[in-house]
Amino acid sequence: MRALLFERFGVENLRVVDVETPRPGPHDVLVRVEAAGVNPIDYATVTGARSARPMPHIPGVEFAGFVEAVGDHVSGLKTGDRVTIYKNLFDGSCDMCLSGQEMFCRAGGTIGVDSNGGYAEYALVPARNAMPVGDRVSWELAASLPVGALTAYHALRLAGVSPGELVVVVGASGNTGMFAVQLAKMMGARVVAITSKQWLRDLGADEVVDIDNAKPVIERITGGSMADVVVDPLGSETMSKSIKLLGINGRIVTFGALTGGELRLSIREIYSKQIRLIGATGGTRRELLDLIKLANEGKLKVKVWRKYSLDQGVEALSNLFSRERDGRIMITP
Ligand SMILES: [Zn+2]
């Protein structure tokens, strides 16, 4: 099979190579990859900010495709099934798995980081990571559920969004942001999208504004009570501004630090408004099931900017932080 892989860290070292197509072990499935997302986690894997194994390594954390072959002990899946892949490797038996938090499995890891991923014609995954999706879900959407949508959904659930609340999504046009907007809207919230991209209105945003002009807009639509929840995956550059958008009992939820991981924090600002700072990471299989159901019902959309072939892998990864980017970058093997 053809695979996009690297032997040494660095985006420029990605190349397409013919490698042996893996064979499923008794509990595995072989997936014919139809679409794979490009995420910051893939960039970090390729550039060596995270360890990668095995080496040479095929990256690609987020992908979907057809089941091509199943192991002897696999039940419930068959050749030809459409599946999306839960990214966290998990044993199903530790205390974290038993409490439904597979992303914290004590023996865990991440597909595409701790095993070969989806930037290839075929990918081998444990059968319990392959989750069926309906025929009507596009491959681009199916491949956006396990990271983009799931991270946003898990974060919003931890923040506890109630109907009528005001949710602000920072980085709303990003991989997770576009889903945070849609999901917050479905939870009954009013949504302010922090971005310059007007297409977020089509996904349910009530207001679209950049962060430096957000305060008066939020004051106006809340009558001064300000935001209940801010979702901020960007980090240092926006976080202090994001906290200032919150009202009394506000929650700020973070799951990324793309612009830097350090923060100067006004403790007085936190306690005087009883603000809660919430960390979120990944999501559970149960939550991914919810998202698959929403996708099957036609309630989720993905905005794709560009699709690249495996041969264009360097360009696909390089464009992740491009100013021009306007939606998701996908690799379609
Ligand atoms: Zn476990």
Side-chain angles (χ1 to χ4, degrees), residues 1-5 15-22 31-33 58-59 117-123 308-313 331-333:
M1 68 172 186
R2 299 174 77 239
L4 182 68
L5 58 69
R15 58 203 174 84
V16 177
V17 176
D18 266 312
V19 297
E20 201 171 328
T21 305
V31 176
R32 191 172 91 218
V33 180
I58 304 170
Y119 296 168
E121 287 178 304
Y122 298 96
Y308 292 96
S309 66
L310 287 177
D311 297 293
Q312 298 167 307
I331 292 178
T332 49

Side-chain angles (χ1 to χ4, degrees), residues 90-97 102 104-107:
F90 62 98
D91 60 11
S93 58
C94 74
D95 57 337
M96 288 294 124
C97 287
E102 298 94 346
F104 294 125
C105 177
R106 307 283 182 192

Side-chain angles (χ1 to χ4, degrees), residues 145-260:
L145 299 177
V147 176
L150 183 57
T151 308
Y153 184 48
H154 184 63
L156 287 169
R157 291 193 71 217
L158 286 181
V161 178
S162 301
E165 286 195 318
L166 188 87
V167 174
V168 176
V169 179
V170 179
S173 63
N175 291 358
T176 53
M178 68 174 80
F179 289 103
V181 167
Q182 296 175 73
L183 292 161
K185 198 71 196 172
M186 274 182 244
M187 291 171 177
R190 291 175 296 160
V191 179
V192 174
I194 305 292
T195 174
S196 60
K197 314 285 187 189
Q198 292 297 322
W199 52 263
L200 271 305
R201 290 186 191 276
D202 302 334
L203 298 186
D206 297 288
E207 302 281 346
V208 174
V209 63
D210 66 88
I211 193 146
D212 291 318
N213 294 307
K215 195 161 181 252
V217 170
I218 294 165
E219 271 170 353
R220 173 171 57 78
I221 61 180
T222 60
S225 64
M226 302 304 284
D228 299 291
V229 172
V230 178
V231 177
D232 187 342
L234 297 187
S236 295
E237 233 171 66
T238 51
M239 202 74 165
S240 311
K241 292 173 185 171
S242 292
I243 290 171
K244 292 194 193 312
L245 302 177
L246 286 168
I248 291 164
N249 294 320
R251 293 87 78 196
I252 180 156
V253 56
T254 173
F255 46 82
L258 291 175
T259 62

Side-chain angles (χ1 to χ4, degrees), residues 264-318:
R264 254 181 83 89
L265 197 63
S266 161
I267 292 168
R268 195 170 290 119
E269 202 171 13
I270 297 290
Y271 71 67
S272 63
K273 288 197 280 186
Q274 296 196 164
I275 284 168
R276 277 177 283 160
L277 173 59
I278 300 165
T281 190
T284 70
R285 265 197 314 167
R286 169 67 240 206
E287 289 168 334
L288 183 52
L289 267 183
D290 289 347
L291 293 169
I292 290 170
K293 185 165 180 287
L294 290 172
N296 286 343
E297 291 167 355
K299 291 178 180 164
L300 283 175
K301 289 181 193 161
V302 61
K303 161 98 167 147
V304 175
W305 177 51
R306 282 182 190 168
K307 291 193 240 182
Y308 292 96
S309 66
L310 287 177
D311 297 293
Q312 298 167 307
V314 172
E315 204 183 332
L317 270 284
S318 303

